Amino acid sequence: MTQNRGRSGPIEHGFPHLATVRASITALFRRLSADGIRAYDTSFAPADAAFDAGDDLHLGAQRVAAATVRALRLPDARMVVSFREMEQAATVELAAGPEYFVEVSDRFRTHRRDLAAALAHEVTHVLLHRLDLRFPGTVENEILTDTAAAYLGAGWLLLDAYREDALTHQRFGYLTPEEFGYVLAKRAALFGEDPATWFTSPQAYEAYVRGRALAERDHRRAPLTAAGPLARRRYAKARRAGAGAGAGAGAGPADGSAYRFEQDGSGAGLRVSFPCPVCAQRLRVPVCGRLRARCGLCATVLDCTT
């Protein structure tokens, strides 16, 4: 968990980790299955994150930790929360369980509104440890953790802890605010929820809107039928180039779009591959006009014009 408080420097924006974020969503579907993902249909309730100055420090921290455990569907895990002076927001000791010891920074004794965000990241570490799901590099693994927290319903707290104004520069996690918005929008589209109503930080809401715009564009990428005229023209140009390529040769558009064409060596004709807009698993379908493709990983049915 990383934190940037005070006026110590700029906060990174944009989508620099997008490839790893998408790979993380795919990995979650592969490890949990489509049905397993859909079991996380209820997000962390804002009321469960409430922790004000009148609450007992340790009892309140344990209450919020228990709510986080329930939200991430770890009923047999118990978080023991303690406070100490530390640079990081929080750390967790990943052991066999069922008890896990979470240390959080002393700053949360007074900045209690953000404690749930810190715990969401650490409890997600426990969940991924239990699932034996990890990426090889440290940064990639932390991006996986943030993505999992957001996609499984607790990570909106991490985005809501983002504040950037004349007096405060603060963010939690390894994702940029816009990347958190992107993942939350992916989840919102899957479950039909609207996390925008939960944000107390105006900057968090703005980042969510920017991330949502990119997530929506994923559903308008050719060869999906919802693609716009410009995307369709680019697709048609790349399709002609693919049709002229030799057997087994791949061809993709020069603008970097995610679809690729290849000739089927068996003589079945041209095929196109593209990422599923829900889980980012690559699909491979024949180029034969209008068709409906079902993603084998997340079971989403997609309307395509190939």
Side-chain angles (χ1 to χ4, degrees), residues 50-51 55-65 115:
F51 183 25
D55 292 338
D56 179 90
L57 175 65
H58 294 283
L59 291 179
Q62 291 301 142
R63 175 183 56 77
V64 174
L115 178 63

Side-chain angles (χ1 to χ4, degrees), residues 3-15:
Q3 184 177 21
N4 180 9
R5 263 191 194 275
R7 306 185 67 176
S8 56
I11 292 176
E12 188 175 26
H13 286 281
F15 302 93

